Amino acid sequence: MHRFTLPNGLRVLLAPSHRHPRVAVAVHYGVGFRSEPPGREGFAHLFEHLMFQGSEQLTGGEFYDRIHRLGGSANGTTHQDYTDYYQAVPASALDGALFAEADRMRAPLFTEEALAEQLEGVALEIHGTTVERPYGGFPWPLLPAVLYRSYANAHDGYGDAERLRAATVADCRAFFAEHYAPGNAVLTLAGGFDAAEARALVERHFGDIPARPVPARPDLREKAPEADRWAYGTEPGVPATAVALGYRLPDPADDLAGYLAHTVLARLLRATGAQGGGGPVETSCGFFGPLDALAPETLVVTGLLPPDTAPERFVERVDAGLAHWADPGAPGHGEAVRTAVRDLALDHVRRHDDLQTRARALGRLELLFGRPGLLAELPDLLAGVGAAEVAAAAWALRGTARAVLVLTPGPERTRPAPYEAPAAPVRSARAAGEPVVPAWAETLTPAGTRVVCYRDERTPLAELRIKAPLGPGGWRAPGRVRRLAYEAQLRAGAAWRATGHFGTVQVTTDDQWLEVSGHAPAERAGDWLRTVVGTVLAAGTGGSLGSGGPNGSAQAPALPAPPATALQRTADAALRLRLLPAAGGAAALPGPAGAVVVVTGPGDPDATAALVTRTLAGWSAATPEGAAPGPGDAYGEDTVLTLHRPGAAEAHVTLCAPASMSTATEAADYLATAALGGWFGSRLAVDRTPGLTVITGRDTAAAGHRAYLRAWYEGPHRPETVRELRERVRRMAREPFTAAEADATRVFCAGQVLSVFDTQETLADMLCQTAAYGHDATWLMRLPRALREAPLADVSRAAVRMFAERPLTALAVQTDAVDAGAVRTDGVGTDGAARDLPGGRAA
């Protein structure tokens, strides 16, 4: 890491990593909720919103537009002691990213129109977070007002929306002049760049910003409470009482070892606090995470109480947990502490594998503590925490007064009185890369499962993915498969937790595929796979299916298809019923044929592939159900299948046609789909009909690939809209793309693909997606260049082939108000959900 300071006081951190094709840029300013003067509650958060509304050379929405065209992302957050702004873009766009950040550090624009717009947006955010949500404001921002007594620490950082409306443009300019000086900021770069070149860019863009006085940090010191402080509120429409406890934490700047011991203790309390059947206990060091604020900071313990349980019983359970861990020599304590330390260290490593998260953490640690190196040192520092240190932390909390916040079910919403300080006068202002192809190995198991393993040494963890097509039985009964997946999740989660190993196992379905995902220490990858085979795959093969039950959570489909809504899943279920043959056997979780297993992590890929092959030997083939329908079956008819869903406020239409998916044409197909209707600069997005939203995408339906158009508009369903959509997309697809259209789409799509390389987790997800779609093992790494180099003529031909050559069949419309005579619901329930039929098919 390279660390230097510009003459104007701006601190700069450069963390180059040449394996990354993107770069994350973060700017932290030393101003947060606790910098606000009385009478300006919530102003720091409002100001964060305003900083995205334009600057001297990037007016209006140009800041976001520049980033979105590149497939990048940007955001900002406000915390107790800092506000951060961050973006991630392709490495080749670093110059533009630095220009944009420097321009708003130098000269943001504040207008009456922008202020009015953001006041409305902030009001909606406050309402949604603190009013609309059950237990709104619990535990933050309610708990600080119970634990603390000084204005800086106790007041509500969201503020009151109506009170904020008194803010003026002059107030905004004054706030900027006081708090947004270069000397009160840290600029951090992480990702694929050359340090010397990046330093030259930083000096060019930020070096001429004038220095200004830096405000003093607010005085946060206050005495700890001498007795417990209780506060009560009521909440309508909830079944359980919620309780939050707040304890003062040691100052990490003066006693980092003590702070980390409390962090380990918080992890241990989650288990012991729930003993005795009182329900789960959640803990957190800090309201927004560990090492996220200056002292004083808070250890938070929360829980939902069983019916007829007094909140005092919850406090007693937490006290019992503290007493349990206060004895360093108790049997099993040493091993439990070592396990908690290991889990915390691996959680830390995995979380900060993400490019943006790492850049933000480095900047935060520099701004708050002057120690960005803590990011790398933390696992070793945690390793120094033992049973004795945890016992000392537990003893300290047992003798400490705390805050207790209680929200009980009641007929109306009431809250403890917010902290109010006497109003004071507002203070016046003081005058570009490619992804690296890793080492990899691939094999096909005797049962027909494709196994692809990649070396990724960014963390000591293995990311593991299994994706298997559900087949005709599963497609015919999506509700039952979701129930099986839910039950498999319970079995697998319990079995993995019983091993005592760090990691996760998640079982989900999107009705088309069964997906098992998770992570584990690399040396435990075999244990993870054996757990999955024993509890999910082998157990599910040929298993019987119950009816009903909760739905599994859907994973996002392969790029560029957007996630499906519940209504769209209903439409797709009806499509599969239509494509399936009338006869079929009982549904079950899938067998190994056609499945894909992907593992990323450290170690030899060949050895990992051999381990996977051996472990999957217990996964046997399911009972054959006959041939699945081909990709063109039943698509040729010009049919409209209408599904009736009472209460729907919108009509949803899906038009689709069979499409091939081949590596040879993938780049052109990808670009054509995006340029037609797959991003905000596409033809369908630009030529938008008011009240009608239209997107295009590609995915798999039944056994074949398809190209689709989805549209939704306020109901009822209008048959003429289907005809208009068909003609519109055909017309647009037949018109050749211009070079300007294609180039803008290339930049956006390549930038989006590069984002999956930010973390080992997202990379594993997309490697599994591309493998399941039949692409070779290195295709994802080659895709960004292929997108940039795909011939313009091929892109135009792809649009015609996918969206204009075949009739786009309207297979599903969900609406509330339709002509009853036009509705045919064979195999489709009146609630819009496709039913599980033994051999039926949709009309």
Side-chain angles (χ1 to χ4, degrees):
M1 184 167 63
H2 305 259
R3 193 179 183 204
F4 60 93
T5 303
L6 296 182
N8 58 17
L10 177 66
R11 286 167 281 173
V12 182
L13 305 175
L14 305 180
S17 174
H18 296 295
R19 69 169 60 92
H20 285 101
R22 296 213 308 169
V23 61
V25 177
V27 181
H28 288 73
Y29 293 90
V31 55
F33 307 137
R34 297 199 288 202
S35 305
E36 298 165 344
R40 282 287 182 261
E41 296 85 353
F43 199 90
H45 176 224
L46 169 65
F47 194 86
E48 171 223 318
H49 282 243
L50 286 169
M51 283 288 282
F52 288 96
Q53 298 308 301
S55 56
E56 187 175 66
Q57 299 186 65
L58 295 175
T59 59
E62 288 186 53
F63 182 94
Y64 274 127
D65 289 346
R66 289 163 60 94
I67 294 169
H68 288 171
R69 290 190 194 102
L70 301 169
S73 59
N75 209 338
T77 60
T78 309
H79 297 241
Q80 287 118 304
D81 303 310
Y82 70 89
T83 303
D84 67 339
Y85 303 87
Y86 50 95
Q87 54 178 294
V89 295
S92 59
L94 175 59
D95 189 8
L98 293 175
F99 165 78
E101 289 292 354
D103 198 49
R104 63 177 173 180
M105 181 182 286
R106 178 186 294 105
L109 293 179
F110 304 112
T111 66
E112 297 290 351
E113 294 78 8
L115 177 58
E117 179 182 346
Q118 294 312 306
L119 283 168
E120 292 301 321
V122 167
L124 288 173
E125 182 178 344
I126 294 173
H127 186 79
T129 304
T130 63
V131 178
E132 290 185 344
R133 270 175 39 184
Y135 307 105
F138 176 91
W140 190 89
L142 294 173
L143 187 58
V146 185
L147 181 60
Y148 299 104
R149 287 295 178 260
S150 70
Y151 170 80
N153 296 319
H155 81 273
D156 181 349
Y158 268 137
D160 178 80
E162 291 305 313
R163 204 173 194 176
L164 278 172
R165 294 184 192 279
T168 66
V169 169
D171 295 332
C172 299
R173 293 183 180 130
F175 193 85
F176 172 79
E178 181 168 5
H179 294 289
Y180 277 68
N184 199 31
V186 176
L187 169 67
T188 308
L189 277 63
F193 59 86
D194 177 84
E197 294 175 359
R199 177 164 186 161
L201 289 173
V202 168
E203 292 173 344
R204 174 157 62 88
H205 289 297
F206 292 85
D208 64 347
I209 299 176
R212 298 198 305 274
V214 175
R217 284 180 171 174
D219 186 0
L220 305 177
R221 295 171 297 176
E222 68 170 275
K223 291 182 179 180
E226 297 178 352
D228 287 355
R229 298 170 178 168
W230 287 68
Y232 296 86
T234 57
E235 181 75 5
V238 298
T241 295
V243 182
L245 276 61
Y247 297 86
R248 292 276 292 269
L249 282 167
D251 184 353
D254 297 329
D255 184 13
L256 182 59
Y259 183 96
L260 295 179
H262 281 73
T263 304
V264 177
L265 173 62
R267 174 63 68 101
L268 294 167
L269 282 174
R270 293 183 186 180
T272 56
Q275 291 177 354
V281 171
E282 295 295 330
T283 60
S284 170
C285 278
F287 288 107
F288 303 100
L291 297 174
D292 192 74
L294 300 168
E297 180 60 305
T298 310
L299 188 153
V300 183
V301 183
T302 61
L304 293 177
L305 307 188
D308 302 320
T309 301
E312 289 79 3
R313 302 289 82 77
F314 179 83
V315 176
E316 291 171 1
R317 285 167 53 207
V318 175
D319 285 341
L322 292 173
H324 176 80
W325 294 111
D327 181 3
H333 277 204
E335 180 59 31
V337 170
R338 285 190 291 273
T339 299
V341 165
R342 179 202 62 196
D343 291 353
L344 284 167
L346 289 173
D347 271 336
H348 172 82
V349 171
R350 187 167 188 256
R351 184 168 63 254
H352 292 95
D353 174 46
D354 176 74
L355 202 61
Q356 280 190 355
T357 303
R358 185 159 65 255
R360 295 177 66 198
L362 289 169
R364 180 185 76 244
L365 294 172
E366 168 63 28
L367 183 80
L368 297 179
F369 308 110
R371 294 183 63 181
L374 272 178
L375 188 66
E377 299 164 15
L378 205 60
D380 289 336
L381 293 172
L382 281 167
V385 178
E389 288 76 16
V390 170
W395 272 108
L397 291 187
R398 288 187 72 193
T400 298
R402 63 213 157 182
V404 184
L405 172 65
V406 182
L407 294 185
T408 60
E412 61 181 3
R413 175 182 291 245
T414 63
R415 292 292 183 267
Y419 181 89
E420 287 283 349
V426 179
R427 291 171 288 176
S428 60
R430 291 195 294 264
E434 289 289 341
V436 176
V437 178
W440 57 279
E442 180 173 355
T443 187
L444 189 69
T445 71
T449 301
R450 184 183 179 191
V451 178
V452 192
C453 301
Y454 302 83
R455 177 179 292 156
D456 190 333
E457 297 179 332
R458 288 181 285 183
T459 76
L461 303 172
E463 293 283 345
L464 304 105
R465 305 289 186 268
I466 302 174
K467 192 177 179 79
L470 289 169
W475 301 330
R476 183 174 288 110
R480 299 181 186 181
V481 169
R482 292 176 205 170
R483 176 66 185 181
L484 272 188
Y486 174 77
E487 294 170 348
Q489 171 70 70
L490 297 181
R491 290 194 305 269
W496 181 248
R497 285 191 297 272
T499 68
H501 300 319
F502 171 86
T504 59
V505 182
Q506 295 178 317
V507 185
T508 59
T509 177
D510 63 357
D511 302 343
Q512 178 71 30
W513 306 86
L514 179 80
E515 302 183 44
V516 189
S517 62
H519 68 279
E523 66 273 14
R524 300 295 185 185
D527 296 326
W528 189 96
L529 287 164
R530 281 187 285 274
T531 298
V532 170
V533 170
T535 61
V536 180
L537 304 178
T541 301
S544 62
L545 291 167
S547 60
N551 294 344
S553 60
Q555 297 290 321
L559 289 172
T565 66
L567 289 177
Q568 291 162 359
R569 287 182 71 173
T570 301
D572 292 344
L575 167 61
R576 284 188 288 270
L577 286 175
R578 177 176 179 78
L579 295 176
L580 288 173
L589 293 183
V596 170
V597 178
V598 168
V599 181
T600 70
D604 178 24
D606 291 293
T608 305
L611 169 67
V612 173
T613 301
R614 292 194 303 271
T615 308
L616 292 181
W619 187 12
S620 60
T623 304
E625 296 188 77
D633 291 356
Y635 271 106
E637 305 171 22
D638 190 10
T639 302
V640 176
L641 172 65
T642 306
L643 310 179
H644 181 50
R645 187 176 189 270
E650 293 180 327
H652 284 237
V653 177
T654 301
L655 306 178
C656 50
S660 62
M661 193 166 288
S662 165
T663 300
T665 63
E666 172 64 14
D669 293 350
Y670 194 131
L671 289 170
T673 306
L676 190 61
W679 72 298
F680 69 87
S682 65
R683 286 181 174 178
L684 286 167
V686 172
D687 182 25
R688 182 176 178 179
T689 301
L692 175 67
T693 302
V694 185
I695 59 172
T696 55
R698 296 174 301 138
D699 63 4
T700 299
H705 304 299
R706 66 168 175 171
Y708 66 77
L709 176 148
R710 294 195 195 276
W712 55 96
Y713 51 90
E714 291 187 3
H717 164 53
R718 302 184 296 269
E720 65 274 12
T721 300
V722 175
R723 295 190 293 271
E724 292 169 359
L725 284 171
R726 281 181 175 143
E727 183 52 39
R728 185 178 176 195
V729 72
R730 285 194 191 109
R731 184 180 69 254
M732 287 187 173
R734 287 170 179 156
E735 180 183 345
F737 293 109
T738 66
E741 283 181 297
D743 289 345
T745 305
R746 292 178 206 276
V747 172
F748 176 82
C749 291
Q752 276 208 321
V753 174
L754 292 180
S755 70
V756 306
F757 295 89
D758 286 2
T759 72
Q760 185 180 350
E761 179 183 5
T762 55
L763 180 58
D765 289 338
M766 290 312 304
L767 288 170
C768 187
Q769 294 280 21
T770 55
Y773 277 61
H775 299 302
D776 64 66
T778 64
W779 171 241
L780 188 62
M781 294 76 178
R782 296 183 284 112
L783 180 55
R785 171 172 289 186
L787 291 171
R788 290 193 292 268
E789 296 178 352
L792 177 60
D794 289 356
V795 178
S796 294
R797 281 193 290 268
V800 173
R801 172 167 39 82
M802 292 186 294
F803 294 97
E805 282 185 352
R806 295 174 180 265
L808 289 170
T809 302
L811 287 154
V813 177
Q814 293 86 12
T815 183
D816 183 29
V818 294
D819 179 1
V823 176
R824 302 178 62 186
T825 57
D826 299 344
V828 181
T830 57
D831 60 353
R835 296 299 186 214
D836 298 333
L837 302 180
R841 51 191 290 157

